[in-house]
Amino acid sequence: MKKLIAFVILVPIATYSQGRSENFSDLAWKRIEPIYQEIVKHPFNKELLRGTLSQERFAYYSAQDSLYLKDYSKALAVLGTKLDDKDAAQKVFRFSAECLNEEKKYTTGAMKSEKPPKMNPATLSYTNFLLATAANG
């Protein structure tokens, strides 16, 4: 789990701040290949691929994704303020804004739910970790 967390946080940041996206990306994907295969095998992903995922389950995970994106964009924005390289900071800020644009799709239109979702414990723990790492890391 720690490797996955590091991958999710560090890939965009290291890619933008170091300017070595292809080399770093190739290396990162090689290192997380076993983790990626576990993600592919997850029942949610298998059911989604087969078209057998229930609407309720899809809506639940979509809501969690929306909540995650909102906090992930905040973490990226915090990290962007810590970068000395202005070009790298701008890229991280743009990525943060793109996350908010994606999150907005969940809260408007067809994906909008009548009552706002609450974060499940796993999403809350993970986003708290991201925000704390961004603020203090």
Side-chain angles (χ1 to χ4, degrees), residues 56-116:
E56 289 112 9
R57 195 161 170 199
F58 180 78
Y60 173 78
Y61 280 103
S62 294
Q64 294 305 305
D65 192 42
S66 170
L67 296 168
Y68 160 78
L69 285 173
K70 191 182 298 184
D71 281 354
Y72 184 58
S73 70
K74 290 176 188 177
L76 288 173
V78 169
L79 289 167
T81 66
K82 296 180 177 191
L83 295 172
D84 293 330
D85 181 324
K86 289 179 184 179
D87 292 333
Q90 285 179 331
K91 288 178 184 178
V92 172
F93 290 135
R94 273 196 301 272
F95 189 54
S96 174
E98 288 171 14
C99 287
L100 287 177
N101 288 335
E102 284 301 309
E103 188 274 333
K104 188 175 182 181
K105 292 177 186 178
Y106 290 105
T107 56
T108 59
M111 298 290 287
K112 185 176 182 177
S113 95
E114 290 184 25
K115 70 177 191 181

Side-chain angles (χ1 to χ4, degrees):
M1 185 63 151
K2 287 182 182 179
K3 289 181 182 179
L4 177 60
I5 291 169
F7 177 76
V8 171
I9 293 174
L10 297 177
V11 167
I13 296 156
T15 299
Y16 290 129
S17 65
Q18 295 179 11
R20 298 181 292 187
S21 61
E22 279 187 8
N23 293 336
F24 181 81
S25 180
D26 291 343
L27 176 63
W29 278 107
K30 284 178 189 171
R31 287 192 178 171
I32 64 108
E33 181 62 27
I35 296 168
Y36 178 73
Q37 290 307 317
E38 290 301 313
I39 292 169
V40 170
K41 293 177 190 174
H42 190 278
F44 174 86
N45 293 322
K46 284 179 153 184
E47 291 174 24
L48 184 63
L49 184 62
R50 286 193 304 257
T52 59
L53 186 66
S54 73
Q55 285 185 332
E56 289 112 9
R57 195 161 170 199
F58 180 78
Y60 173 78
Y61 280 103
S62 294
Q64 294 305 305
D65 192 42
S66 170
L67 296 168
Y68 160 78
L69 285 173
K70 191 182 298 184
D71 281 354
Y72 184 58
S73 70
K74 290 176 188 177
L76 288 173
V78 169
L79 289 167
T81 66
K82 296 180 177 191
L83 295 172
D84 293 330
D85 181 324
K86 289 179 184 179
D87 292 333
Q90 285 179 331
K91 288 178 184 178
V92 172
F93 290 135
R94 273 196 301 272
F95 189 54
S96 174
E98 288 171 14
C99 287
L100 287 177
N101 288 335
E102 284 301 309
E103 188 274 333
K104 188 175 182 181
K105 292 177 186 178
Y106 290 105
T107 56
T108 59
M111 298 290 287
K112 185 176 182 177
S113 95
E114 290 184 25
K115 70 177 191 181
K118 292 185 179 181
M119 273 193 193
N120 70 28
T123 305
L124 180 62
S125 294
Y126 185 57
T127 57
N128 282 344
F129 171 79
L130 290 175
L131 291 165
T133 301
N136 303 314

